[in-house]
Amino acid sequence: MKVGAVVITMGNRPDELRALLDSVARQDGDRVEVVVVGNGSPVPEVPEGVRTVELPENLGIPGGRNVGIEAFGPGGTDVDILLFLDDDGLLARTDTAELCRKAFADDPELGIISFRIADPDTGETQRRHVPRLRASDPMRSSRVTTFLGGANAVRTRVLEQVGGLPDAFFYAHEETDLAWRALDAGWMIDYRSDMVLNHPTTAPSRHAVYHRMVARNRVWLARRNLPALLVPVYLGVWMLLTLVRRPSRPALKAWFGGFREGWTSPCGPRRPMKWRTVWRLTRLGRPPVI
């Protein structure tokens, strides 16, 4: 199976980008083709053979990754598997691409694999990086209902069937939107603890737009994908969880501004998932109300 990799960069981490690309080049088996997308910035110097695309403006994370997908042909179909990797990450092992090939070859229903993200100094995996509710044991692999955006592998047939990431989201929840569409089309998602991307421990709230985007895109996610009966339940649960976490006053103000924006702005095409998909998500441990 042919493997490609998409990396988006703002051009501000050239050393980390080079280390990531070197780790991709060291993968066992056939060569992994790589495309680096400069998201509104020039691409730093890259090794020979790495293709680059420089965008005149920042299209956001999903928009930049979609450009990278199309660099591998319509829907990425010049390859069988696409890796999506953060530019400040590093593949910890040399067999990750081979493990992906084997996983997809052995399981025809498998559409997406979420890697484990580990801090390079401590080896620890943050709870938020385990894409399931029961996240206390990051070393346990399992079927899941979503995946990590900067450390994953996607079978390109999934993208061909259900489309790419939602450009308008810009940042936050674009992975879950794709995951729900893939699950609704009959694909499965695995979290694999043995496929590791080393990445420094960070807090998502470091991004200035975090609280607004998280709230807006949560509303868009529900409006686009959930049966009408579940939309108010899902959003009501997330509002309660947000209040319980007691964010700062400015953060809460930004969150409610984003929540309002999610209802008053276009969310893209609405394709509610089937009720049998709701049941599948529930059986996998995460009903689409939380």
Side-chain angles (χ1 to χ4, degrees), residues 90-104:
L90 181 78
L91 289 175
R93 298 167 46 157
T94 62
D95 63 349
T96 301
E98 284 288 80
L99 288 173
C100 287
R101 291 185 182 99
K102 185 176 189 310
F104 285 119

Side-chain angles (χ1 to χ4, degrees), residues 48-195:
E48 186 178 351
V50 173
R51 288 183 286 162
T52 62
V53 179
E54 293 186 353
L55 303 177
E57 61 178 311
N58 183 356
L59 300 182
I61 294 173
R65 287 185 176 141
N66 283 337
V67 169
I69 292 169
E70 294 303 309
F72 287 98
T77 48
D78 288 350
V79 293
D80 304 295
I81 302 164
L82 277 176
L83 312 181
F84 295 90
L85 306 170
D86 275 353
D87 68 341
D88 55 345
L90 181 78
L91 289 175
R93 298 167 46 157
T94 62
D95 63 349
T96 301
E98 284 288 80
L99 288 173
C100 287
R101 291 185 182 99
K102 185 176 189 310
F104 285 119
D106 289 349
D107 186 352
E109 292 187 339
L110 181 61
I112 302 171
I113 300 172
S114 188
F115 299 170
R116 180 167 64 88
I117 293 179
D119 184 274
D121 297 322
T122 66
E124 293 183 2
T125 297
Q126 292 179 271
R127 187 180 182 90
R128 69 185 181 91
H129 284 154
V130 183
R132 58 177 180 244
L133 291 180
R134 296 178 179 177
S136 59
D137 182 9
M139 301 306 295
R140 178 173 67 87
S141 299
S142 69
R143 293 282 202 205
V144 290
T145 61
T146 189
F147 63 98
L148 306 174
N152 67 80
V154 179
R155 192 192 296 265
T156 53
R157 281 176 54 203
V158 174
L159 301 171
E160 184 182 14
Q161 183 175 358
V162 307
L165 297 156
D167 286 344
F169 278 43
F170 197 85
Y171 165 80
H173 303 318
E174 66 273 4
E175 304 92 353
T176 300
D177 186 271
L178 176 57
W180 282 2
R181 285 183 281 127
L183 288 162
D184 197 48
W187 298 99
M188 300 300 289
I189 305 170
D190 278 356
Y191 165 73
R192 288 282 297 265
S193 64
D194 57 337
M195 301 182 189

Side-chain angles (χ1 to χ4, degrees), residues 29-30 45 58 97-98 105 155 167 174-175 205-206 216 236 242 259 266 278:
D30 292 342
E45 185 178 351
N58 183 356
E98 284 288 80
R155 192 192 296 265
D167 286 344
E174 66 273 4
E175 304 92 353
S205 55
R206 70 190 185 280
R216 184 198 69 180
T242 300
F259 191 83
V278 173

Side-chain angles (χ1 to χ4, degrees), residues 11-23:
N12 55 351
R13 294 188 284 233
D15 294 339
E16 292 89 340
L17 174 63
R18 183 59 183 251
L20 169 67
L21 297 177
D22 288 345
S23 75

Side-chain angles (χ1 to χ4, degrees), residues 160-258:
E160 184 182 14
Q161 183 175 358
V162 307
L165 297 156
D167 286 344
F169 278 43
F170 197 85
Y171 165 80
H173 303 318
E174 66 273 4
E175 304 92 353
T176 300
D177 186 271
L178 176 57
W180 282 2
R181 285 183 281 127
L183 288 162
D184 197 48
W187 298 99
M188 300 300 289
I189 305 170
D190 278 356
Y191 165 73
R192 288 282 297 265
S193 64
D194 57 337
M195 301 182 189
V196 183
L197 184 84
N198 283 341
H199 188 284
T201 297
T202 57
S205 55
R206 70 190 185 280
H207 298 290
V209 297
Y210 172 77
H211 296 286
R212 171 179 155 252
M213 293 289 193
V214 161
R216 184 198 69 180
N217 293 358
R218 183 81 69 184
V219 178
W220 281 359
L221 179 69
R223 288 175 59 196
R224 285 164 57 94
N225 295 287
L226 290 181
L229 287 174
L230 294 185
V231 172
V233 180
Y234 177 81
L235 296 176
V237 167
W238 277 105
M239 181 179 288
L240 287 174
L241 285 173
T242 300
L243 294 174
V244 166
R245 291 168 178 167
R246 302 180 67 180
S248 67
R249 187 180 294 272
L252 196 60
K253 182 179 179 181
W255 192 93
F256 274 107

